[in-house]
Amino acid sequence: MKNVTQDKIFSAIEHLLQKKSIDDITVTEIVNQAQISRKTFYRNYQDKYDLVGQYFDYFFEETFGRIINGTDFDTAFIEYLTICEERSAILRHAYQSTDARGLRTFDIQLTKRTYETYLKECGADIDSKEMQFAIKIASYGGTDLVIEWLLNGMQEDKIEFKNNIKSTLPPILLRYLQ
């Protein structure tokens, strides 16, 4: 649940990411836009990349992350793509980061953790080498394809895109998503 300070900071980062890459945004710009102190910023976030990760986490959990709570894969993924589409300018600038702590790395980790939690709840042996490899394929490949879809202007229809992603998932993983 977000609080007033987090709302201000999230609004500030949204505003700034409309215009430029996270790599080009300074913490000073964020605190000035949010009208908070640096101390308040650092009390809540390690750095600007942590902020972007937590911003992304908030809507990821409300969309694709809902597969853990029983929402089917197709619905959750379409909701995720819809949010990505609505926030495309913000996400394009966030994903353009070349920093190792950038959004791409965070997205892969979050997607991997979501798959692992979901599959474990479904009774899958998530520790097997085969399943770990399948989860990596889905996490890395899916994340990179969504980023490419965003950066290239979301030309492909969301349902067609979701169907293409799903059809390429490893069978060992896919059987739990039907």
Side-chain angles (χ1 to χ4, degrees):
M1 178 114 178
K2 293 191 302 181
N3 59 38
V4 175
T5 300
Q6 192 173 41
D7 282 342
K8 289 169 115 180
I9 297 170
F10 280 6
S11 292
I13 199 63
E14 282 181 338
H15 175 79
L16 294 165
L17 283 171
Q18 291 277 350
K19 300 173 186 174
K20 57 185 174 177
S21 167
I22 186 63
D23 291 344
D24 297 329
I25 295 171
T26 65
V27 171
T28 299
E29 289 175 297
I30 297 167
V31 299
N32 288 343
Q33 182 69 38
Q35 298 179 333
I36 59 166
S37 68
R38 288 180 79 79
K39 184 177 178 181
T40 298
F41 178 86
Y42 285 111
R43 190 177 318 123
N44 291 281
Y45 308 99
Q46 292 175 2
D47 56 28
K48 62 186 178 180
Y49 300 103
D50 182 41
L51 163 59
V52 169
Q54 287 189 42
Y55 168 82
F56 178 79
D57 182 48
Y58 184 74
F59 73 81
F60 182 92
E61 293 301 327
E62 296 298 315
T63 58
F64 187 70
R66 290 179 43 214
I67 66 170
I68 294 170
N69 300 321
T71 301
D72 66 276
F73 176 88
D74 292 357
T75 300
F77 197 70
I78 291 295
E79 288 175 1
Y80 173 67
L81 293 176
T82 300
I83 293 291
C84 287
E85 201 171 43
E86 291 169 4
R87 299 174 187 209
S88 62
I90 295 164
L91 291 174
R92 277 190 208 121
H93 285 122
Y95 279 121
Q96 287 173 346
S97 176
T98 57
D99 194 281
R101 296 164 297 144
L103 184 55
R104 178 186 176 274
T105 301
F106 183 82
D107 187 348
I108 290 168
Q109 292 168 350
L110 188 57
T111 301
K112 184 177 183 288
R113 197 168 51 244
T114 299
Y115 275 124
E116 288 172 341
T117 302
Y118 172 77
L119 292 166
K120 189 173 185 176
E121 288 178 5
C122 290
D125 178 8
I126 65 165
D127 296 321
S128 74
K129 285 183 180 184
E130 187 179 22
M131 185 59 85
Q132 277 297 306
F133 191 73
I135 292 168
K136 284 182 184 178
I137 288 171
S139 301
Y140 282 80
T143 297
D144 283 342
L145 288 169
V146 169
I147 293 168
E148 183 179 287
W149 179 74
L150 272 165
L151 295 179
N152 291 331
M154 302 157 294
Q155 303 289 322
E156 193 172 6
D157 173 73
K158 288 187 298 255
I159 293 173
E160 181 182 349
F161 182 66
K162 182 261 313 167
N163 289 339
N164 287 337
I165 294 259
K166 193 172 179 183
S167 72
T168 61
L169 291 174
I172 190 173
L173 192 147
L174 189 58
R175 71 175 174 225
Y176 291 98
L177 300 176
Q178 302 296 358

